[in-house]
Amino acid sequence: AGFSSIVTFYDATNIPDWINLEAGDPLTEREKLEDRSPLNHVDLLKSPILLTHGSNDNRVGVTESRQFVEAAKELGRPVTYVEFEGQVILGSNCIIEKGAKIGQSVIGSNVRIRSGARVFGSVIWDGVDIGRDANIRESVIGYRTKVGDRAVIQVRNVISDECNIGSDAVVKTNLKIWPNKTVEEGAV
């Protein structure tokens, strides 16, 4: 996530020297930095925007995203905010639906995580579709795998490429599922 105000970012970051070098000194050039800060141009926002931020970001604090979202909502601008627990690496073209929770995970490109799903401590490869209210913990999910609604994938599992984990299925701890396999709906 990026900063919304260069001035408040300067006050909270662990790299204030970088701000002085790249943007200017907030003590002597405050007006210039405020003019260049996205927070002061929220009124120009026309297209919907998705902001994501990890709660453990030690470089850019979550207050930067939160204050931008608050300003956008006050002006009725189209903004969606997803705050990840811990650190999350998110690939391109992902769809994270409202109410999904992600923490301490690496999410590949073109992944869809539906509402109510929970993903923690996991690696999710490209093209995965995670159903509503699914729960994945400390596991690896391979390329183009589909995880059904309310499916539970317990810890230390590796589910290989192009598998299908049915709705309401439970994958117990410490299992390896090879490519192109199906765990039927409701299976344990």
Side-chain angles (χ1 to χ4, degrees):
F3 59 81
S4 60
S5 166
I6 299 172
V7 174
T8 59
F9 176 51
Y10 177 85
D11 291 338
T13 188
N14 62 357
I15 55 166
D17 293 343
W18 177 84
I19 295 168
N20 284 329
L21 179 66
E22 294 295 324
D25 185 346
L27 300 176
T28 60
E29 301 172 276
R30 184 180 189 98
E31 187 175 317
K32 175 182 90 170
L33 299 182
E34 286 180 351
D35 182 59
R36 293 181 177 176
S37 294
L39 183 63
N40 296 317
H41 300 284
V42 174
D43 59 317
L44 300 176
L45 184 63
K46 303 284 186 249
S47 297
I49 187 170
L50 169 66
L51 289 177
T52 62
H53 209 123
S55 64
N56 286 354
D57 190 333
N58 61 5
R59 181 83 18 112
V60 180
V62 293
T63 56
E64 290 298 316
S65 289
R66 289 175 183 165
Q67 67 187 358
F68 186 91
V69 169
E70 184 178 315
K73 286 184 176 179
E74 284 177 9
L75 293 173
R77 297 304 193 251
V79 62
T80 300
Y81 178 55
V82 178
E83 188 170 307
F84 300 117
E85 296 181 29
Q87 295 180 348
V88 173
I89 297 172
L90 189 63
S92 61
N93 300 314
C94 291
I95 298 172
I96 313 297
E97 292 183 3
K98 185 175 182 177
K101 294 190 181 287
I102 304 169
Q104 300 298 109
S105 296
V106 177
I107 310 295
S109 296
N110 302 304
V111 170
R112 182 173 195 146
I113 302 176
R114 297 178 189 271
S115 65
R118 295 168 303 283
V119 178
F120 290 96
S122 296
V123 175
I124 309 297
W125 285 88
D126 296 347
V128 171
D129 186 347
I130 299 172
R132 288 176 178 76
D133 299 310
N135 189 347
I136 301 171
R137 294 211 172 262
E138 299 176 28
S139 292
V140 176
I141 309 298
Y143 171 78
R144 292 184 56 192
T145 289
K146 182 175 182 347
V147 178
D149 295 345
R150 298 169 308 283
V152 175
I153 299 174
Q154 297 178 354
V155 299
R156 294 186 303 277
N157 290 303
V158 176
I159 298 174
S160 193
D161 299 342
E162 298 184 328
C163 289
N164 186 6
I165 309 301
S167 295
D168 300 303
V170 177
V171 178
K172 298 281 188 173
T173 299
N174 234 6
L175 295 174
K176 306 325 178 239
I177 299 176
W178 296 111
N180 303 302
K181 301 293 187 243
T182 295
V183 175
E184 293 186 3
E185 188 172 316
V188 178

